[in-house]
Amino acid sequence: MLLALPTTTLLWYFRTCDTRENIHQNYFFDAFKKLTNNKVVRHEIATQRLTNLVKKVPKYKEEIKLAFIKVLKSFPRKSTSNYERRTYATVAYQ
């Protein structure tokens, strides 16, 4: 009994950490799919999701910043409004 309780607690802790990491990764990749879509609404949703994710998991900050920079560079110059550029630039450097 004395060995079972610490072992169970340790296994539960690692399982919880692993599950939380999987949820964050799924959230991360889903937001990137939305970010690479051509619809502005999906860009806004992805921006909000990634901003929230950076607050929860700071270790993704660099990857998210690079993704925003890459997406900004991929936009055609004429069709991108100043508002969209400012929004992505603000979020990328937070």
Side-chain angles (χ1 to χ4, degrees), residues 9-57:
T9 305
L10 191 65
L11 288 173
W12 171 82
Y13 174 77
F14 285 124
R15 181 175 168 259
T16 302
C17 290
D18 188 46
T19 302
R20 188 176 301 133
E21 180 66 26
N22 285 338
I23 290 169
H24 289 150
Q25 284 179 353
N26 289 339
Y27 201 69
F28 183 70
F29 290 122
D30 183 54
F32 275 132
K33 284 181 192 175
K34 286 182 179 9
L35 192 62
T36 57
N37 198 311
N38 290 332
K39 296 182 181 181
V40 176
V41 174
R42 290 190 183 206
H43 289 174
E44 292 175 11
I45 292 169
T47 302
Q48 187 64 37
R49 283 187 175 184
L50 291 172
T51 303
N52 291 338
L53 185 62
V54 165
K55 290 176 186 174
K56 290 180 183 176
V57 187

